[in-house]
């Protein structure tokens, strides 16, 4: 049982790293093929868009 749970933990960590890397590519204005930076809906100086989600995902991955 402990081996199965340890492997599950490792898989969840790898899955989280992959998800974080993909999200960072979508949010990055230089890599997302013309989408606005941080996926903001209007002026990027007033609307932070998904920057909070990006910060939260990085925080969750540091805990994982």
């Amino acid at each position: 049982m402990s081996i199965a749970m340890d492997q599950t933990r490792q898989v969840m960590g790898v899955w989280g790293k992959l998800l974080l890397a993909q999200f960072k590519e979508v949010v990055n204005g230089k890599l997302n093929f013309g989408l606005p930076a941080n996926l903001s809906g209007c002026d990027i100086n007033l609307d932070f868009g998904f920057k909070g989600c990006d910060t939260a995902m990085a925080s969750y991955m540091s805990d994982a």
Side-chain angles (χ1 to χ4, degrees):
M1 182 67 159
S2 64
I3 293 172
M5 292 306 293
D6 188 50
Q7 290 175 344
T8 302
R9 180 190 58 83
Q10 290 175 349
V11 167
M12 294 297 285
V14 169
W15 180 74
K17 286 180 184 179
L18 178 66
L19 187 62
L20 177 65
Q22 289 176 343
F23 189 77
K24 284 193 173 287
E25 285 185 13
V26 170
V27 174
N28 189 349
K30 296 176 183 171
L31 299 175
N32 61 11
F33 299 108
L35 293 173
N38 296 327
L39 301 178
S40 59
C42 58
D43 185 16
I44 60 171
N45 296 322
L46 301 174
D47 183 11
F48 294 108
F50 279 87
K51 191 62 179 175
C53 293
D54 182 34
T55 306
M57 287 183 75
S59 173
Y60 297 147
M61 277 311 302
S62 70
D63 288 340

